[in-house]
Amino acid sequence: VQLQASGGGLGQAGGSLRLSCAASGTIFSIGVMGWYRQAPGKQRELVATISRDGNTNYADSVKGRFTISRDNAKNTVYLEMNSLTPEDTAVYYCNADVRQTFLRPFVTYWGQGTLVTVSS
């Protein structure tokens, strides 16, 4: 299973960026999908998660600004980031809990990370 993230880059303070992450490979089912981020010199932290039926969870720092969504048919999770601030600068990682066959348990896979830089 591979997770391919895209959409990072340079954003302006107050602006918007949209990240995508597509899962591919042998996939029977995907459970929770999520976005995490790691700023320079800091630990990786949760940004947002979304269950298969659409229940979402957000870090307090992004509530009201970021929106996570997913397309189950495309095995893809999105992160719409609005009202960006320089504090949102980080490498963003997606992850997904994937079941490869009916008999196997869910396993968490990670994407390679995509850099988001927000200038003031």
Side-chain angles (χ1 to χ4, degrees), residues 48-101:
T49 63
I50 184 168
S51 67
R52 183 169 182 83
D53 57 3
N55 291 319
T56 57
N57 178 52
Y58 294 93
D60 288 342
S61 59
V62 306
K63 280 181 182 177
R65 301 189 299 121
F66 291 9
T67 302
I68 189 171
S69 61
R70 63 189 283 172
D71 184 331
N72 290 331
K74 295 181 179 179
N75 292 333
T76 299
V77 62
Y78 306 95
L79 186 69
E80 183 74 33
M81 304 185 294
N82 298 315
S83 302
L84 289 166
T85 74
E87 288 68 38
D88 295 318
T89 295
V91 176
Y92 284 70
Y93 298 90
C94 58
N95 78 351
D97 293 337
V98 178
R99 204 175 186 183
Q100 288 194 281
T101 71

Side-chain angles (χ1 to χ4, degrees), residues 26-48:
T26 302
I27 297 171
F28 173 77
S29 177
I30 300 179
V32 175
M33 304 183 82
W35 289 96
Y36 291 72
R37 67 186 182 185
Q38 187 167 17
K42 295 187 177 181
Q43 291 187 330
R44 190 175 298 188
E45 63 177 4
L46 167 74
V47 176

